[in-house]
Amino acid sequence: MKRMKSVLGLIVALVLLNANVFAQEKKAPNYKLITNVNVWDGTSDKLVKADVLIENNLIKEVKNGITAPAGAIVIDGKGGTVMPGLIEGHGHLYLNGLTLADIENNKGYDELAIRAAVKAEAALMSGFTTWRDAGGMGSGLKKCIDAGMVNGPRLYPSGALIGPSGSHADFRNYTTPNETMFGAHSSAARNAMSFTADSPEAIKTAARQNFMQGATQIKIMSSGGIASQFDPWQLNAFSVEDIQAAVEVAESYGSYVQSHAYGKTAIMRCLDNGVKTIEHCLMFDEEVAKKMVEKGAYMTTNVTSFSPLIDQLDYIRTSAMSKKKYESAKIAAKDFVENVKKFKPKMGFNTDAIGDLQNGITQADYSIYLSGQLFGNLFTLKSLTSVNGEIVKLAGDVIDPYFEGSLGVVKAGAYADILIIDGNPLEDLTLIGANEKWFDAPGRAGDDIPAMKLVMKDGKVYKNTL
């Protein structure tokens, strides 16, 4: 018996010793030091000469002349520019069919999921280290990326789009039964890509379902749209009570609501009732600008709305109804660009691309180019980094999956999500992929932006051609 106790005691001691050694190894930090670079921090109008010290997955220090800690990996930036990883403020990884009707009728969820994973990896290799998905996906792809099974950006999913019958969130065919009456008959509803909700209580249920399935914020459709078939863009789809229901649920999770809203009535109704980000916001004017400041709200706008090439998009080109809606929206939004220049809202970058891999890549590249042309390089770069970094953090500390550090900036305490660019992006946006061509742009792989020499996310290097 004594011998048995002695053996057991030895085993326990060894287990405790191993646990202690493991804990020490786990706590031992690993360092990377980036030298011989200039830094653009995500907010300022100039570059500064500095080194960047990374401890594990966070930036520890940004200053000139940092001494490398023992065992640090030293990366010679060769005179390039360190900048924050890009952030997509309004993307749709799962909406990857030709049109909404193609997604509903011709794409199974397994195909959509695989196409989404391919697009996610291409986005990361194009420098997008964070992605706010603005509706149509759950948290499954996010879990796989976070687990290291698939390469991709940090994902902030919105879950299923929420809208009333016949709204911009309604993917049904003309003859598909109404889902609030007969149950979920559409593929979009069955696969939790889009929920039809025709009352405040139904909206609350849909929002709670999204949060249960891993959404970090809620997306509602407060106005009509262009890509959808049944709704004029002028439609004020949700009432005050409807919007308040969504906001009530989101705030109970410490999070927020983003809303698709084109028209002035829908925009103001959302802002007055607690919505924190207005998606598209095409009728932006002085009154909206003042209300956004008052409410601490943001907007994201797909600048391709103001491109002379937009009518070549498949969902506009192949639909007489969508083309007609686009033409009227273009007239109504004619003052948007000048109003943004004048009132300088907090506006995040928004690609809003649906379709296949190449469409997502070329639309993002063209969007960066066009934003630079309309609003300048600094505004565009901030929209791609620090402004969208603030937007994703509206998810709140409770359900933010990436709560340890800031995003969209290069500073102490931020996540080590960074790019090294050969040149100065403040002077030349082509260095991060901007392309004046859109539909006639040559196809490219996700990782072939020549000047983008290094892509790092969470302290891990995914591309290094220095």
Side-chain angles (χ1 to χ4, degrees):
M1 179 66 76
K2 288 183 179 180
R3 185 176 180 182
M4 183 178 292
K5 287 183 178 179
S6 177
V7 170
L8 288 174
L10 179 60
I11 292 173
V12 170
L14 287 171
V15 169
L16 291 174
L17 177 62
N18 288 334
N20 187 49
V21 170
F22 176 75
Q24 289 177 348
E25 289 177 351
K26 188 176 181 181
K27 290 179 182 177
N30 64 77
Y31 293 100
K32 294 182 181 71
L33 178 63
I34 301 175
T35 64
N36 191 19
V37 288
N38 296 300
V39 173
W40 181 65
D41 63 5
T43 61
S44 65
D45 60 359
K46 61 181 180 297
L47 309 182
V48 296
K49 182 70 175 175
D51 301 327
V52 180
L53 178 62
I54 296 162
E55 181 180 317
N56 298 327
N57 64 336
L58 299 175
I59 296 172
K60 184 175 180 62
E61 198 171 13
V62 182
K63 72 174 187 179
N64 208 10
I66 298 175
T67 300
I73 296 171
V74 178
I75 300 173
D76 182 354
K78 298 182 179 178
T81 299
V82 167
M83 64 173 286
L86 309 180
I87 301 176
E88 172 61 75
H90 181 123
H92 297 286
L93 288 174
Y94 272 74
L95 302 186
N96 51 50
L98 186 66
T99 62
L100 297 183
D102 181 46
I103 294 166
E104 171 64 25
N105 298 319
N106 305 320
K107 298 289 187 290
Y109 202 74
D110 52 349
E111 181 181 356
L112 293 173
I114 293 168
R115 290 162 72 98
V118 172
K119 291 184 73 171
E121 181 168 21
L124 175 63
M125 301 310 291
S126 295
F128 285 90
T129 53
T130 296
W131 181 291
R132 185 178 70 151
D133 203 89
M137 71 171 290
S139 61
L141 179 56
K142 174 192 169 299
K143 291 176 181 177
C144 292
I145 291 172
D146 290 348
M149 299 167 61
V150 179
N151 289 338
R154 302 177 188 276
L155 291 183
Y156 283 84
S158 300
L161 304 158
I162 301 175
S165 296
S167 72
H168 194 53
D170 194 338
F171 290 11
R172 292 179 299 140
N173 293 317
Y174 182 75
T175 57
T176 305
N178 184 289
E179 295 176 355
T180 63
M181 301 176 184
F182 303 104
H185 289 271
S186 71
S187 173
R190 290 194 304 271
N191 293 322
M193 296 177 70
S194 182
F195 291 151
T196 299
D198 283 320
S199 69
E201 287 307 311
I203 291 166
K204 289 180 181 181
T205 299
R208 290 171 180 141
Q209 178 71 14
N210 279 339
F211 279 124
M212 186 204 81
Q213 294 186 321
T216 52
Q217 63 282 325
I218 296 301
K219 169 77 175 292
I220 63 173
M221 299 301 204
S222 297
S223 78
I226 293 173
S228 43
Q229 295 301 301
F230 308 123
D231 53 322
W233 65 261
Q234 297 93 337
L235 174 69
N236 297 312
F238 271 153
S239 68
V240 168
E241 293 76 17
D242 293 330
I243 295 168
Q244 288 175 344
V247 170
E248 178 185 329
V249 173
E251 289 184 347
S252 72
Y253 282 83
S255 185
Y256 70 101
V257 172
Q258 59 180 132
S259 178
H260 169 103
Y262 282 0
K264 179 74 174 288
T265 298
I267 293 167
M268 295 299 286
R269 186 178 288 174
C270 285
L271 291 172
D272 280 331
N273 290 283
V275 171
K276 286 301 182 184
T277 74
I278 306 298
E279 311 304 305
H280 313 301
C281 202
L282 296 185
M283 307 309 143
F284 176 80
D285 61 11
E286 182 175 8
E287 186 180 7
V288 173
K290 290 179 177 177
K291 184 64 70 171
M292 285 177 62
V293 172
E294 175 190 336
K295 298 293 185 177
Y298 298 76
M299 59 192 274
T300 79
T301 302
N302 46 324
V303 295
T304 48
S305 299
F306 310 100
S307 168
L309 305 175
I310 193 172
D311 58 1
Q312 295 180 44
L313 281 170
D314 287 315
Y315 68 79
I316 295 177
R317 181 178 55 81
T318 61
S319 169
M321 180 179 292
S322 289
K323 185 172 178 59
K324 179 181 178 182
K325 290 196 287 184
Y326 159 68
E327 293 293 343
S328 66
K330 180 171 68 173
I331 295 170
K334 62 182 176 59
D335 297 325
F336 177 91
V337 172
E338 289 308 311
N339 283 335
V340 168
K341 290 178 179 178
K342 183 176 181 180
F343 301 113
K344 297 178 175 59
K346 285 199 169 185
M347 181 171 129
F349 182 81
N350 168 342
T351 302
D352 196 28
I354 65 173
D356 63 12
L357 172 65
Q358 281 304 311
N359 186 67
I361 289 174
T362 56
Q363 188 162 325
D365 292 352
Y366 179 70
S367 296
I368 295 172
Y369 161 79
L370 186 59
S371 179
Q373 294 294 303
L374 296 176
F375 305 117
N377 290 3
L378 178 60
F379 184 96
T380 299
L381 287 167
K382 289 171 68 174
S383 76
L384 277 159
T385 56
S386 57
V387 175
N388 272 342
E390 293 177 16
I391 287 174
V392 296
K393 286 296 177 178
L394 294 172
D397 293 339
V398 175
I399 62 172
D400 182 356
Y402 313 111
F403 59 88
E404 294 178 312
S406 304
L407 290 166
V409 290
V410 177
K411 68 176 186 179
Y415 277 110
D417 293 7
I418 61 176
L419 311 175
I420 297 181
I421 306 299
D422 184 10
N424 184 352
L426 290 167
E427 297 175 352
D428 184 1
L429 292 176
T430 66
L431 302 176
I432 60 169
N435 192 339
E436 65 180 338
K437 294 184 177 181
W438 185 359
F439 298 101
D440 57 347
R444 71 171 182 84
D447 62 350
D448 60 356
I449 300 174
M452 192 174 290
K453 298 297 184 181
L454 181 139
V455 175
M456 177 186 289
K457 187 195 81 171
D458 209 41
K460 179 181 176 180
V461 174
Y462 288 84
K463 174 186 177 181
N464 187 354
T465 58
L466 286 165

